[in-house]
Amino acid sequence: EHIATVLWTFSLLSVAAGSDFKARNCSGVKEASIAKGFSFENVPLQQMSGDHLRVCPQGNTCCSSEMEDKFGQQSKLELENLVDETSKELRSTFVSRHKKFDEFFLELLENTEKSLNEMFVRTYGKPYMQNSEVFQNLFAELKRYYTGGNVNLEEMLNDFWSRLLERMFTLLNSQYVITDDYLECISKYTDQLKPFGDVPRKLKAQVTRAFIAARTFVQGLSVGREVANRVSKVSSTPACIRALTKMMYCPYCQAMPSVKPCNNYCLNVMKGCLANQADLDPEWNQYIDAMLLVAQRLEGPFNIESVMEPIDVKISEAIMNMQDNSVQVSYRIFQGCGQPKPSGMGGRSTRGVSDVFNARFRPYSPEERPTTAAGTSLDRLVIDIKEKLKLFKKLWSNLPEDICQPHRVTAGNATDDDQCWNGHTKGRYFPEVMKDGLTNQVNNPEVGVDITRPDTFIRQQIMALRVMTNKLKNAYNGNDIYFQDSSDEGSGSGSGSGCTEACVTEFDFASTEAPVVGADRSGSGPVEDSAAATHPAPSAALLASLALSVLALHRLWR
């Protein structure tokens, strides 16, 4: 019996010695290190004392000081790569969608100007070509506004109609010498006379709101792109790097290179390292919500595509209104500004004004319209970006969960799994998981975080988002924050419209029948006769001079 006891004791000692030898064998560490791309000069064959280590446990170890230092450098790089990988879809989406929207809006402007030019050359011919710079300036200013220029849309559009009135009045009254001072007087009567009917007011409201929404939305995509690019470049503190090294590479020093960190352990490390990024989330979520609101406007009442495509038809409609009211308008201007001096021109055509614009004015058919901007439609672009934006809410506070996935870092989601690395050995991880954000890391068991010193760089991004969110909310209501005081009080139009969700387009852009230039208007007589019937009769001499001016238009524009 005594011999049997001795043999049993000896066998236990032999097993213990064998397991001890196995634990001290570091050959697997060298192979795993080479597989990870490390090129250490010396990897111990067996464990040695770890008194030289500053991060990993100082018991028996397979790591030299050189190995621990390089593990620290690699841990920093790996966190940067993990954040970069996790936020890659976000960043690529903002880059690509900003490019698509920007190209779309710029091509839409270019196509609209081309469409108007071709249609007006065909319809009005030489008179338009001689005055085409008025329209070129309109599109140049719209483009300048869209690309970030300091343009007050309402004032610019008012100026366009004033210039158009001056040009048309001069053509209609070519028998007079129209001086610059006289033209300045004419411009004062634009609002009072409404020579172009109600088109300028309606078009101003539509164009202003649509351009504010389009420009602000693209600016929002640009800000989102820049913030995402900046925040995804992580700046790690020394405490974070130590915690990362301990989590990712101290298992190597314990001769357990294949053992992955416990999930909750990983979460606490990442919540400590990325605490400032998580603080971006509240402002980021508000920014995403504001972007989604403006996106609704882009596919609804502020749809710039619906506004710009028929703008040629609407401006021509205004010109027709001016033509129909030319006698009354000239008479009222003569009353207000005085009668200009005759130019001494003689000989007039005997045909009426309506003969000048006898071409049938119609929009392009779908086959004739220029290629759709950027090869798509605004509705399709908006549907796409709305789906993407919704996915990116809470992205920054979700980074720890996204990083601590089995395919990236951890051993799995089982919090009580005793087969994962808990920071000291292979076993369960017991500490509770911290909440998100800087202030919640005060008791983080893995990363020492100074909650009194927020990251100034992240705070700058929070402020950038806050400013952009404010601009987006204003754009949603049809306001440009740079020109909020520019609109006429109580006008209900332009950049201060304050339009709500109930807004609808102020006139139907989808009409299939275009106005006909110079068409017979329900059997009414010449413009001169209808004007005389509805307004107080001017003097005979003044009527004669107006008739001559009207007839001159045809001769000049023919």
Side-chain angles (χ1 to χ4, degrees), residues 35 102 122 172 189 236 242 305 478 481 528:
D102 192 42
R122 188 173 68 238
L172 287 165
Y189 285 86
S236 304
R242 283 196 299 272
E305 192 172 23
I481 61 173
E528 296 92 327

Side-chain angles (χ1 to χ4, degrees), residues 526-544:
V527 173
E528 296 92 327
D529 295 340
S530 63
T534 56
H535 293 270
S539 67
L542 186 55
L543 280 175

Side-chain angles (χ1 to χ4, degrees), residues 192-466:
Q192 179 184 335
L193 294 175
K194 291 185 169 52
F196 300 109
D198 208 28
V199 173
R201 182 188 69 82
K202 293 177 178 179
L203 202 57
K204 180 168 68 173
Q206 290 288 331
V207 168
T208 301
R209 293 192 300 236
F211 269 79
I212 289 170
R215 179 171 90 161
T216 308
F217 191 76
V218 171
Q219 286 177 345
L221 288 172
S222 177
V223 168
R225 177 191 65 192
E226 294 307 313
V227 168
N229 283 337
R230 289 167 182 163
V231 177
S232 61
K233 291 178 173 59
V234 181
S235 178
S236 304
T237 64
C240 169
I241 295 171
R242 283 196 299 272
L244 288 168
T245 306
K246 184 179 177 184
M247 180 183 78
M248 293 178 169
Y249 287 106
C250 285
Y252 283 62
C253 300
Q254 297 293 93
M256 296 184 287
S258 61
V259 178
K260 296 294 188 73
C262 301
N263 187 66
N264 285 359
Y265 174 36
C266 175
L267 288 174
N268 274 340
V269 171
M270 292 302 169
K271 284 176 183 283
C273 286
L274 302 174
N276 283 286
Q277 280 76 2
D279 280 348
L280 189 74
D281 239 23
E283 206 63 52
W284 176 264
N285 293 338
Q286 289 190 45
Y287 154 77
I288 293 291
D289 287 338
M291 287 288 288
L292 289 169
L293 285 174
V294 177
Q296 289 178 17
R297 291 300 204 208
L298 288 176
E299 61 183 356
F302 299 179
N303 187 320
I304 192 172
E305 192 172 23
S306 298
V307 171
M308 291 305 292
E309 282 194 346
I311 200 171
D312 44 15
V313 176
K314 294 302 169 184
I315 293 176
S316 183
E317 181 184 323
I319 291 173
M320 293 300 98
N321 289 335
M322 173 66 182
Q323 173 193 314
D324 291 347
N325 299 310
S326 59
V327 173
Q328 303 97 297
V329 169
S330 294
Y331 173 59
R332 297 275 298 277
I333 289 174
F334 289 162
Q335 282 186 319
C337 299
Q339 191 158 334
K341 294 178 181 179
S343 64
M345 293 175 62
R348 300 287 179 246
S349 171
T350 58
R351 290 195 295 173
V353 170
S354 60
D355 293 328
V356 174
F357 302 110
N358 59 7
R360 291 183 63 84
F361 190 80
R362 60 183 179 82
Y364 283 95
S365 66
E367 294 77 23
E368 293 173 308
R369 280 279 180 193
T371 304
T372 306
T376 185
S377 71
L378 184 57
D379 286 342
R380 284 199 292 271
L381 287 176
V382 171
I383 289 170
D384 167 72
I385 193 63
K386 282 170 65 178
E387 291 175 354
K388 295 290 186 182
L389 288 172
K390 290 172 185 176
L391 297 175
F392 298 142
K393 290 191 73 172
K394 298 185 178 179
L395 181 133
W396 303 109
S397 61
N398 284 338
L399 277 178
E401 284 80 4
D402 291 338
I403 290 173
C404 294
Q405 295 291 326
H407 66 281
R408 289 198 173 106
V409 175
T410 65
N413 293 324
T415 56
D416 60 349
D417 189 356
D418 58 3
Q419 298 302 307
C420 55
W421 173 253
N422 62 17
H424 304 282
T425 186
K426 184 165 67 173
R428 296 179 185 180
Y429 182 79
F430 292 103
E432 65 174 337
V433 177
M434 299 293 101
K435 293 181 180 178
D436 299 319
L438 187 65
T439 57
N440 288 316
Q441 307 312 310
V442 63
N443 293 317
N444 191 307
E446 309 305 334
V447 188
V449 180
D450 185 352
I451 65 169
T452 66
R453 298 183 63 184
D455 187 308
T456 55
F457 182 74
I458 295 293
R459 272 19 190 204
Q460 289 171 358
Q461 308 316 307
I462 288 174
M463 286 305 301
L465 289 172
R466 192 168 294 163

